[in-house]
């Protein structure tokens, strides 16, 4: 695999394990015990480089190994393209069933003191995301 692909896979895996640590499902993140060093690349900058997406088969392999309670969140994220911090900050008032969309306008933000708060999404802009069109 290309270096950028490995970096993205590692970053995703690292983030999933971090969520498991936060939820006290595991004691520590096994990714932190590796010597992997994340490589910076052009696609880290918005609107530059080519986006990389999971294939349906790749997503299915991840989904098959998720706890059943985590599957709805994973499905929501894969079908809307939301980040973990955006998906977990979502609330029913963001859903517009008439327009069949979710307005992504908030995300969890970690403060310097380690506390968490709801703030704007990473882009700083709200965006409508279509859902339930298939």
């Amino acid at each position: 695999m290309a270096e950028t692909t490995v970096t993205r896979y590692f970053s995703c895996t690292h983030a999933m394990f971090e969520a498991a640590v936060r939820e006290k499902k595991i004691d520590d993140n096994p990714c932190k015990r590796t010597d992997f060093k994340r490589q910076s690349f052009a696609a880290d900058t918005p609107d530059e480089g080519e986006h990389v997406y999971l294939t349906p088969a790749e997503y299915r392999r991840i989904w098959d190994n998720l706890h059943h309670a985590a599957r709805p969140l994973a499905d929501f994220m894969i079908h809307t393209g939301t980040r973990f911090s955006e998906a977990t900050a979502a609330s029913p008032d963001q859903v517009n069933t008439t327009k069949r969309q979710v307005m992504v306008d908030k995300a969890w933000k970690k403060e310097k003191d380690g506390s968490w708060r709801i703030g704007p999404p990473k882009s700083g802009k709200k965006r409508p995301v279509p859902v339930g069109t298939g």
Side-chain angles (χ1 to χ4, degrees), residues 31-42:
C31 293
K32 290 183 177 179
R33 295 190 299 266
T34 70
D35 60 358
F36 182 83
K37 298 291 183 220
R38 186 182 187 285
Q39 299 297 313
S40 179
F41 48 92

Side-chain angles (χ1 to χ4, degrees), residues 2 28 33-34 38 53 70 83 91 96 104 106 118 131:
D28 70 324
R33 295 190 299 266
T34 70
R38 186 182 187 285
Y53 301 95
R83 297 172 178 90
S91 57
N96 184 322
V104 178
K106 55 190 171 186
I118 298 285
V131 292

Side-chain angles (χ1 to χ4, degrees), residues 35-57:
D35 60 358
F36 182 83
K37 298 291 183 220
R38 186 182 187 285
Q39 299 297 313
S40 179
F41 48 92
D44 282 344
T45 307
D47 301 319
E48 290 185 28
E50 187 174 321
H51 291 263
V52 178
Y53 301 95
L54 291 172
T55 66

